Every structure is written in structure tokens, then in C-alpha cells.
Amino acid sequence: MRLYQALRDVGKFRTVFDFGGREVAHWFPGHMAKGLRQMRASLKSVDCIIEIHDARIPFSGRNPAFQETLDVRPHLLILNKMDLADLSNKQRILKKLEKNGVRNVLFTDCLKQRDDNIKKLVPMVVDIIESKPRFNRDENINYCLMVIGVPNVGKSSLINSLRRTNLKKGRASRVGGEPGITKAILTRIQVCERPIMHLLDTPGVLPPKIESVETGMKLALCGTILDHLVGEDVIADYLLYSLNRLGRFSYVEKYDLQEPSDDIQHVLKRIAVKLGKTQRVKAITGVGNITITVPNYTAAAYDFIRAFRKGELGRVMLD
């Protein structure tokens, strides 16, 4: 009876997220602008563009500033973090991308020690390159690729995975769980011996102005924009809204809730209590100050967001 009541109540949950007139954070540091300029200047030595993006948002947040670059070079779109994405409608994704002019797509999980899709990348790239003119580089039997994408989608993980698969060598690029780790511009890294293939690593570059607040929230939820620029509480609320909208209620069991909830304060309070994330604060009363223990909502929000990013709340597709 309780389950029936809970599912009936879900029908009353929000169907639209209230952004409250917010403007998504504009995050375009100097190294991003410099990186974009140097990418364009280095195109003459590049045979193919490898654009990497988060598989959970295949249509949202791809930088339109890259379009100028992609129009003049063969292009492969890698949708990484496929282990976190609901790919039950994979064909719909591929058809929509093809309609938008993107025909070469590869899904990967670059953190996996052995990803069979990574093995497909080099032959796929060679076929793509050989089917197009090489811009006066026909005499050069080596291949040079440029890896581009918004922050924290796995560019460095892709490079390390290719080296691990093709060269049996360790990582060459630093990997981190937050955007902005790679700041070096156009580092040249070998990823294959036969054929000889190098990648130019680049910093993640967001557009100077993100197209919509909802796109910005999806990027923030996937860790592409630093959390504090948007607000952990707002990101957590958007996550709760998204999970409920998709009918993904695994958070109920994970955090020992009695039923799904549309109230982020209630959910965060439950998370804080379960995980012992509390803080002591002073309260002013009529008879003097006292110290009380209250839930640490920011810490709880961070745990909720991190659980999503690690796949602990199930696979989702935000687009």
C-alpha cells in the first residue's frame, strides 16, 4: 500500500525545473581562450579532429566554437563515460547526430582497463583520414590528431587509454575529477606505433556564453563547470528533479528514504543524518547563546552529486 501511495505521489512532482531567473556561470579562463587560438593555428599539421563529449549529454553543451574547426577536418565524435549513460536508445542518438552532420561516432569508457571500443579507434581514424584529402600532407606517413572538448569529459583519460592499449605504456596525461586539470596547450603525445600516431592534447574549452541555463545545469551536473560557480544546492536540486523525471528512484534505497521525494531539503537532511554530515552552530536565544547540531546541507549535496557522477544512482540520459 505504501509503495502504491508513493508512486501515486510521484505524479505530483515537478514537471518543469524553476531556474529562478538564474544565469548560468560564464567560465572562460585565460588558458581556455589561449588554447582555442592555438588550436586554430595548429590545424595545418592535423589530419583528424577527435572531439570527446559526455555520453550522458550527447546533444547538450558541445562547444559551437569548435564548429569552425570541425568543418575543415575529418571528425570523430567520441561519447565517453558510456558506463554512466542509459544507452537503451542508442540508435536514436546516432540518428539525431547524423541528422546534425555527425556520422563518425564511437562510445567509450576510457577509465576501463580494457575497453574493446578503444581498440576500434585507430583503424576507424585511419579509414576516416584516408577517405579525405590530407591537406598537403600525403607524403607524411605519420598521423597527427587533435583532441578537443569541453572540460572534464575524459580527453586525458582517452589519451592514456590509447597508450595503454596500443603501446602498453602508462599514462601521459594527468587525470582529475574536476574541470580544468589540463592547462598545457597542444602537448604532443604518441599513442600508437603502427601506424605512428600522435595526439595533440588540449585544455577543455567551454563556449564564452552557454546557450541556455538548462544546458549549463546539465554541464554542471556532469562536472564540466566547477560546482561552486553554480552552487552545490542548485545542482543537487536539479539532480533530484532529473532523477524523478526519468523515474530513477535508486536514491531512495541508497539513502534509506521511505519513498521518493520532490523536496531537496528533505532529501539532503536525510543524507546528512545517514552519513553523519552535521555541523555545530551557535543559536541566539532569549536567555543566551547555545550550540546546536544541524545537518550540513552543502556536504550532503556534494555527496549526492558525487554519487551520481560515480554511477551509484544508476545509468541516466539527461538529453
Side-chain angles (χ1 to χ4, degrees):
M1 183 69 179
R2 177 182 292 177
L3 177 62
Y4 171 77
Q5 180 67 36
L7 292 178
R8 188 177 68 179
D9 289 344
V10 165
K12 303 175 183 177
F13 286 179
R14 291 170 290 180
T15 57
V16 176
F17 188 79
D18 181 11
F19 293 104
R22 296 183 182 93
E23 289 189 8
V24 70
H26 293 180
W27 193 56
F28 200 66
H31 76 272
M32 288 191 180
K34 183 179 179 182
L36 193 55
R37 289 195 300 271
Q38 291 201 8
M39 285 181 217
R40 289 168 177 158
S42 300
L43 276 177
K44 60 181 179 294
S45 63
V46 172
D47 296 303
C48 183
I49 299 291
I50 306 292
E51 182 190 3
I52 186 164
H53 199 60
D54 195 308
R56 293 168 292 184
I57 46 172
F59 314 116
S60 293
R62 290 173 58 210
N63 192 338
F66 291 146
Q67 194 61 48
E68 177 185 336
T69 302
L70 301 182
D71 282 344
V72 297
R73 286 294 182 280
H75 171 223
L76 171 63
L77 174 63
I78 292 181
L79 293 174
N80 191 37
K81 306 186 181 182
M82 62 178 290
D83 57 309
L84 304 177
D86 176 9
L87 298 180
S88 57
N89 287 320
K90 183 177 176 180
Q91 290 306 312
R92 177 189 69 86
I93 296 170
L94 292 173
K95 286 180 180 178
K96 186 170 180 179
L97 287 169
E98 184 174 5
K99 188 176 180 181
N100 293 334
V102 182
R103 294 175 177 80
N104 302 308
V105 182
L106 187 65
F107 290 85
T108 63
D109 173 10
C110 291
L111 291 180
K112 192 176 180 181
Q113 282 298 309
R114 295 177 64 86
D115 181 4
D116 289 337
N117 284 351
I118 288 293
K119 297 177 182 178
K120 300 176 184 177
L121 191 146
V122 169
M124 194 171 180
V125 165
V126 171
D127 287 344
I128 293 170
I129 293 173
E130 291 184 347
S131 67
K132 300 283 181 74
R134 288 193 70 198
F135 301 92
N136 299 319
R137 284 171 45 80
D138 289 332
E139 72 287 350
N140 193 334
I141 60 173
N142 300 342
Y143 296 108
C144 182
L145 320 176
M146 182 185 289
V147 183
I148 63 176
V150 298
N152 203 29
V153 289
K155 294 183 294 299
S156 297
S157 296
L158 170 68
I159 291 171
N160 294 334
S161 183
L162 283 168
R163 283 173 59 82
R164 188 169 60 241
T165 300
N166 298 313
L167 297 177
K168 312 303 179 188
K169 293 186 178 180
R171 71 183 192 180
S173 292
R174 184 182 169 199
V175 176
E178 64 180 43
I181 289 294
T182 301
K183 292 183 172 63
I185 297 168
L186 300 175
T187 304
R188 185 180 175 90
I189 302 169
Q190 184 172 355
V191 294
C192 190
E193 185 69 39
R194 296 182 181 179
I196 296 176
M197 186 174 289
H198 290 84
L199 289 182
L200 297 179
D201 194 10
T202 63
V205 178
L206 283 167
K209 186 174 183 180
I210 296 170
E211 60 191 54
S212 70
V213 177
E214 180 131 25
T215 294
M217 289 302 301
K218 291 178 181 179
L219 288 168
L221 186 52
C222 291
T224 294
I225 300 173
L226 287 171
D227 293 343
H228 71 269
L229 293 178
V230 179
E232 289 86 348
D233 57 334
V234 180
I235 299 173
D237 193 20
Y238 185 74
L239 170 57
L240 180 64
Y241 158 77
S242 298
L243 291 173
N244 287 336
R245 179 175 56 87
L246 295 169
R248 301 302 174 90
F249 305 120
S250 58
Y251 68 88
V252 175
E253 181 178 357
K254 178 173 177 60
Y255 295 114
D256 294 337
L257 274 69
Q258 290 188 338
E259 60 189 26
S261 174
D262 198 32
D263 182 351
I264 188 59
Q265 294 300 311
H266 170 72
V267 172
L268 293 182
K269 183 177 181 180
R270 180 63 234 169
I271 294 173
V273 170
K274 176 178 172 58
L275 301 180
K277 295 183 180 296
T278 57
Q279 56 188 351
R280 296 175 66 81
V281 298
K282 286 185 178 180
I284 300 174
T285 69
V287 293
N289 298 345
I290 61 173
T291 300
I292 60 174
T293 300
V294 298
N296 187 332
Y297 288 100
T298 299
Y302 178 72
D303 189 272
F304 190 35
I305 296 165
R306 185 176 60 179
F308 165 77
R309 292 173 182 164
K310 293 171 65 177
E312 296 173 359
L313 302 180
R315 297 186 175 206
V316 301
M317 179 62 64
L318 296 173
D319 278 348

